[in-house]
Amino acid sequence: MIAATRVDESSLHYRGWRVVLACFLMAFFMFGFGLYGQGVYLAELQRAHGWPGTLVSAASTFSFLLTSVLVVFTDDLLARIGLRSLILSGLVALGASTVLLALMQTPWQLYLAYALMSVGWTGMGTVVIATVLNSWFERRRGLALSLAFNGATCGGIILVPLLLSLSGSIGFRAAMLAVTLAMMVLVLPVVVSFIGWPVGTSPASDRRSESAGAAARGQTRKDLLANAAFWTMVLPIAIAVMAQMGFIIHQVSFLEPLIGRASAGLAVTLMAAMAVVGRLTLGLFVDRLDPRLACAASMTSQAAALLVLLQSTSPTMLLLCCAVYGFSIGNMITFPPLIIQREIGAGAFAAAMGLGTSISGVVSAFGPGIVGLARSFTGNYTMAFAMCVALDLVAASVVLWRPGRHVSRDLSPGQDRKVG
């Protein structure tokens, strides 16, 4: 430990920005392999083994549901094995998963690979990233989260086309092994060198030194489930992400008959690019905004974009709507940690993030299926996307409700912090 000093979070020499870089790389590979890459696995495993699409899709669903269960216990794992050990365990599990995907021969190996991927999500996913950055930043927390989570979008923009290109030239097996090796070379030394808690800060130390105030801060999962403010954050965001997932999965199917396959693909790329822009833009201002108001505005903008999308047949307008919609896509995982820190507090942060991410994951998993069912019943996407508009507006209303607001025990802007 060193003497207390005033922390300048705007300085590039502040160690927290190196932690942001590590988190960016973690999100890049975790979301690239664990989310966006699953479309590649579906096509390549069907081609290589002749497995039905339902088998691979069921494995994906299994992985997402298992992840939703495991992330609930993130705070316990952080206190028991430590931050760096948890991240390294997640990295090894993700690497083992992608190697197994490259080498597998039987369906049971597919489910093992996806189970390992769930362990990877627990060690390198949004809960761990948000928790560690929350401990390093106070004044620039929103910017740090936005920059780190942009790794998730970049993983989809860069890693998936790279996998497809390499699979075409050297084969799927070699492509997966090569990119897995690149992940280990890039992420392992950065995690070992940069990841850690600020001096005197960790979930374990919070529990030891502030156990007397645990109940007041709602530190246990049971307390969180009884906290109305927690539910008015978790449920609306889960509902908005459910609508968001429904639109994203069905976007190409909706647009292709209207503007063609090439333009529909351009719409997806444009939406992803705008997600990066949206995160960066929000990061510059969100620390000066009320996160609940900003969250409601994002949900409302998505509802407006979908509503115009349903009324238009102009290719330009359809692309513009997708761009507006994409602007706020990534921010749905940035708002929860900001709201939790302000209203629930640092001591319960990991527990609240884990529980909230679990609930959101389970709820949002139904989005694509509900939109698909509505489309099947009506024969078009009008009713399905209108339902998404309604869900976004309901979510925007609920997230503005602040029952029994809790006061965060985080440091005030004028206080000093010990760093190391």
Side-chain angles (χ1 to χ4, degrees), residues 155-232:
I157 295 174
I158 298 173
L159 193 142
V160 172
L162 177 62
L163 279 177
L164 290 171
S165 177
L166 289 176
S167 295
S169 58
I170 63 176
F172 175 68
R173 174 177 295 185
M176 289 292 288
L177 295 176
V179 180
T180 299
L181 178 61
M183 175 181 71
M184 292 297 179
V185 170
L186 289 171
V187 178
L188 183 60
V190 172
V191 168
V192 172
S193 301
F194 298 158
I195 288 291
W197 302 111
V199 171
T201 304
S202 74
S205 65
D206 283 345
R207 290 178 181 181
R208 288 194 299 267
S209 62
E210 300 182 25
S211 58
R217 289 181 283 114
Q219 193 167 355
T220 68
R221 285 184 285 272
K222 181 179 178 181
D223 292 329
L224 288 168
L225 291 173
N227 187 338
F230 173 76
W231 284 108
T232 61

Side-chain angles (χ1 to χ4, degrees), residues 42 124 151 192 223 245 250 253 255 260-261 303 309 339 364 375:
L42 175 63
M124 294 173 57
V192 172
D223 292 329
M245 291 291 289
H250 291 271
S253 297
L255 291 175
R261 179 178 292 270
L309 193 80
I339 296 172
S364 63
R375 197 264 182 200

Side-chain angles (χ1 to χ4, degrees), residues 57-283:
S57 298
S60 295
T61 300
F62 161 74
S63 177
F64 290 138
L65 291 177
L66 180 59
T67 300
S68 296
V69 173
L70 293 179
V71 295
V72 173
F73 305 101
T74 302
D75 60 320
D76 297 321
L77 292 170
L78 285 170
R80 187 175 298 274
I81 69 175
L83 174 64
R84 190 173 297 168
S85 296
L86 179 58
I87 293 175
L88 292 177
S89 297
L91 178 62
V92 171
L94 179 60
S97 171
T98 54
V99 168
L100 188 55
L101 283 167
L103 302 178
M104 68 175 53
Q105 297 297 324
T106 59
W108 71 265
Q109 293 173 325
L110 173 65
Y111 281 81
L112 175 59
Y114 275 72
L116 288 168
M117 194 172 289
S118 296
V119 178
W121 278 111
T122 306
M124 294 173 57
T126 55
V127 178
V128 168
I129 290 173
T131 300
V132 67
L133 291 180
N134 180 71
S135 71
W136 279 99
F137 289 91
E138 178 191 348
R139 302 168 186 83
R140 308 296 289 171
R141 183 177 290 127
L143 178 60
L145 288 166
S146 296
L147 291 173
F149 285 142
N150 258 333
T153 306
C154 291
I157 295 174
I158 298 173
L159 193 142
V160 172
L162 177 62
L163 279 177
L164 290 171
S165 177
L166 289 176
S167 295
S169 58
I170 63 176
F172 175 68
R173 174 177 295 185
M176 289 292 288
L177 295 176
V179 180
T180 299
L181 178 61
M183 175 181 71
M184 292 297 179
V185 170
L186 289 171
V187 178
L188 183 60
V190 172
V191 168
V192 172
S193 301
F194 298 158
I195 288 291
W197 302 111
V199 171
T201 304
S202 74
S205 65
D206 283 345
R207 290 178 181 181
R208 288 194 299 267
S209 62
E210 300 182 25
S211 58
R217 289 181 283 114
Q219 193 167 355
T220 68
R221 285 184 285 272
K222 181 179 178 181
D223 292 329
L224 288 168
L225 291 173
N227 187 338
F230 173 76
W231 284 108
T232 61
M233 180 273 296
V234 169
L235 279 184
I237 289 178
I239 291 169
V241 174
M242 179 175 69
Q244 188 171 280
M245 291 291 289
F247 172 71
I248 291 172
I249 297 301
H250 291 271
Q251 179 185 12
V252 173
S253 297
F254 171 76
L255 291 175
E256 188 175 351
L258 297 174
I259 58 178
R261 179 178 292 270
S263 295
L266 174 62
V268 175
T269 301
L270 181 61
M271 186 174 68
M274 287 301 293
V276 175
V277 175
R279 273 208 189 98
L280 290 175
T281 303
L282 178 74

